[in-house]
Amino acid sequence: MKELVLIVGGIYGTLSVILGAFGAHALKKKFTEDQLKSFETGVKYKMYHALVLIICGITFPFLSSLQNIMAWCFIIGILLFSFSIYGLTWSSANGNKIKILGPITPLGGLLLVIGWILLTINLSEIVLYITP
């Protein structure tokens, strides 16, 4: 699991840079200001969580189910959150908004919140373990 977390973190980070540049240059002419802001939100959240995944991959051994669930919440959460935003903004800019993606975004956000809660619990276990 540790390797998967590090690899996905690297992939998400790479995609953030690519999509951020794509949004800043190619999509500026195609998207409205609000669509561009939404797209950028998806990119930012993906980068934040790419960094969190890499830090988690370095910090945790992923021997407990709590650590594994945390990682899956981040991995699936950002997939649902960011990619649904990309789909919504892209389809809206093309005049054919895919409405089914709307409820997926908050589901991804909920998984990210759960991931952060589990991260806090996992970090507190480390702190309790190393403090006498």
Side-chain angles (χ1 to χ4, degrees):
M1 185 66 174
K2 186 177 190 73
E3 294 83 7
L4 176 68
V5 168
L6 289 168
I7 290 168
V8 171
I11 291 169
Y12 280 171
T14 302
L15 286 173
S16 295
V17 173
I18 292 168
L19 291 171
F22 184 67
H25 300 289
L27 297 179
K28 243 182 189 175
K29 297 172 187 171
K30 184 171 181 68
F31 282 9
T32 66
E33 189 175 323
D34 285 343
Q35 290 167 336
L36 199 54
K37 283 182 184 178
S38 292
F39 188 87
E40 288 171 355
T41 297
V43 171
K44 282 190 258 181
Y45 272 65
K46 188 186 297 117
M47 180 57 86
Y48 299 151
H49 290 89
L51 295 172
V52 167
L53 284 169
I54 291 169
I55 291 168
C56 286
I58 293 168
T59 305
F60 298 111
F62 293 95
L63 300 175
S64 76
S65 59
L66 204 58
Q67 292 170 3
N68 291 326
I69 294 168
M70 170 196 67
W72 283 115
C73 283
F74 284 136
I75 291 169
I76 296 168
I78 203 59
L79 184 74
L80 296 177
F81 183 83
S82 287
F83 285 96
S84 65
I85 289 176
Y86 302 150
L88 283 167
T89 54
W90 190 264
S91 63
S92 180
N94 288 328
N96 192 14
K97 190 172 184 179
I98 304 171
K99 296 182 189 243
I100 193 153
L101 294 175
I104 293 174
T105 307
L107 178 60
L110 177 62
L111 286 172
L112 294 175
V113 169
I114 293 169
W116 280 99
I117 292 168
L118 294 175
L119 174 61
T120 304
I121 292 167
N122 283 308
L123 287 174
S124 67
E125 288 178 357
I126 289 176
V127 170
L128 290 174
Y129 179 74
I130 61 172
T131 357

